[in-house]
Amino acid sequence: MKRDFLSVIDFSAAELRANIHLAAELKAKAKQGIFPDVLKKGVGALIFHKQSLRTRASFEVAFHQLGGSAVYITDKEIELGKRESIADVARVMSRFFKVICIRTYSHSDVEELARWSDVPVVNMLTDLLHPCQLMADMLTILEHRGTIDHLRVTYMGDGNNMTNSWMRMAQRIPMRLTVGTSPDTLPDMGIFKETNDAGLSEVIIEHDPVRAVQDADVIYTDVWASMGAKDKIDEQIRRLSPYQVNLDLVKHAKKDVTIMHCLPAERGREITGEVMDLPNTVVFDEAENRLHAQKAILVKLLEG
Ligand code: CP
Ligand code: NVA
């Protein structure tokens, strides 16, 4: 039966761990010029309803390196759900493509696409979740900290698709996850409850920014206004300024704290330029690892 990757919890803990290790293996092989030919000229669809640098580039390169190619499609062409139903789009696309990857607003539209598609569907970001980013982030953490287990991870800033993805990951990988945010910018509280109920990890919401980063192994941040909500930036600045990741705040974390950001960053807002350029800031490794983590996801989905 075909599998989808709409959320990190679509993989079991064992599958997630294996996939992170597969990504590391594929990365090492790629450095030697070795690439598995799993696509055998198969083509992937990349549907984008929002902007992208990293996701589009890394998926296009991934499809190429796995022996296939990709077609970039925007909503101008297909007007998903308007020109024809999502179910019909899914059934037509399944006749051409080996995998359908989509970045859009509504998470339920992606679930609907997956429901009707005969081929795997990959979530390249919705308003709710960004699971491919989290896989690259876990690979990056493994490389820099030698383990992905039992870390103190602090997410600072807007409670958004990245925060929700971290909470989903905490349902599979044990961690202490602190969300440093304001009372008006909370993440999805349903996912928050599910994560704490799952009992593997502890997730805490902390409104005091210094307490939030205390003893953190990892500090993670993201833009204060996500795609689709950029018009809210002024109120978001008012709410989130105390949660900026700057040199003063970072001092309260562990000395060897790893600083992360999915990018694109708005230097001077959620993170200062000085912190972006610290030696323990690993944002460009995260960006590079998108390629290898996604190849691992594609290999897993294509091999069944
Ligand atoms: N991190 C990330 O998904 O970047 P893009 O929006 O540029 O794809
Ligand atoms: N939260 C951001 C992530 C970008 C990769 C957004 O959705 O715009």
Side-chain angles (χ1 to χ4, degrees):
M1 212 180 88
K2 68 112 183 182
R3 302 270 305 268
D4 303 304
F5 190 69
L6 310 190
S7 166
V8 295
I9 60 169
D10 288 341
F11 287 178
S12 67
E15 287 174 324
L16 279 182
R17 287 177 189 280
N19 214 254
I20 293 161
H21 286 282
L22 175 61
E25 221 174 276
L26 291 171
K27 182 174 180 176
K29 286 207 178 123
K31 304 274 176 200
Q32 299 163 26
I34 303 167
F35 303 99
D37 184 28
V38 291
L39 271 159
K40 300 186 186 358
K41 293 201 161 43
V43 182
L46 302 180
I47 306 172
F48 279 94
H49 297 164
K50 291 176 174 174
Q51 292 174 306
S52 171
L53 167 58
R54 281 142 289 269
T55 307
R56 178 184 178 180
S58 57
F59 265 106
E60 288 212 16
V61 174
F63 275 100
H64 179 73
Q65 290 188 348
L66 294 177
S69 59
V71 174
Y72 175 73
I73 302 166
T74 71
D75 213 32
K76 268 197 208 114
E77 291 86 34
I78 56 175
E79 282 194 300
L80 192 70
K82 275 190 219 131
R83 188 162 176 264
E84 59 194 313
S85 72
I86 294 177
D88 286 352
V89 169
R91 287 179 286 192
V92 170
M93 290 184 97
S94 300
R95 302 291 175 109
F96 302 125
F97 297 107
K98 291 263 182 171
V99 185
I100 303 170
C101 307
I102 179 163
R103 166 171 287 196
T104 192
Y105 298 87
S106 155
H107 193 76
S108 59
D109 281 0
V110 177
E111 288 172 336
E112 173 80 353
L113 190 71
R115 193 170 306 125
W116 290 99
S117 168
D118 299 325
V119 299
V121 172
V122 175
N123 174 6
M124 300 194 293
L125 180 146
T126 62
D127 290 346
L128 187 71
L129 294 171
H130 193 6
C132 294
Q133 178 70 50
L134 247 285
M135 296 304 282
D137 294 337
M138 295 311 269
L139 173 60
T140 311
I141 290 174
L142 182 67
E143 290 172 342
H144 285 274
R145 302 204 70 89
T147 180
I148 54 171
D149 287 284
H150 301 291
L151 294 169
R152 285 176 171 251
V153 178
T154 297
Y155 177 93
M156 288 297 280
D158 186 35
N160 61 15
N161 44 11
M162 286 314 312
T163 335
N164 297 336
S165 302
W166 270 105
M167 294 193 292
R168 285 294 190 213
M169 187 58 85
Q171 291 178 21
R172 294 283 186 263
I173 305 293
M175 66 182 83
R176 186 185 154 100
L177 177 62
T178 304
V179 180
T181 195
S182 82
D184 301 316
T185 49
L186 297 173
D188 185 295
M189 294 310 278
I191 298 180
F192 172 80
K193 185 174 179 319
E194 275 175 40
T195 307
N196 277 321
D197 288 350
L200 182 71
S201 300
E202 189 184 4
V203 192
I204 298 158
I205 308 258
E206 175 57 69
H207 298 311
D208 181 302
V210 171
R211 276 218 297 270
V213 297
Q214 207 92 53
D215 294 325
D217 297 299
V218 173
I219 297 177
Y220 198 103
T221 190
D222 182 19
V223 288
W224 287 344
S226 286
M227 291 181 278
K230 293 285 179 203
D231 56 326
K232 299 211 168 55
I233 188 62
D234 290 340
E235 61 191 280
Q236 289 290 87
I237 291 172
R238 278 194 296 278
R239 292 162 167 166
L240 289 168
S241 291
Y243 303 90
Q244 183 190 60
V245 178
N246 54 40
L247 286 177
D248 272 349
L249 192 75
V250 165
K251 274 189 216 139
H252 300 278
K254 286 205 176 124
K255 243 193 159 72
D256 68 342
V257 62
T258 302
I259 297 163
M260 304 181 76
H261 191 311
C262 56
L263 304 181
E266 297 187 11
R267 287 172 182 251
R269 275 196 184 144
E270 74 277 1
I271 188 165
T272 60
E274 290 103 309
V275 173
M276 274 285 282
D277 298 326
L278 286 175
N280 48 336
T281 298
V282 298
V283 294
F284 301 111
D285 291 345
E286 292 175 78
E288 178 187 345
N289 284 340
R290 294 293 304 278
L291 170 62
H292 308 293
Q294 284 152 201
K295 276 188 293 188
I297 294 165
L298 292 173
V299 167
K300 163 96 181 142
L301 295 177
L302 289 163
E303 286 180 347

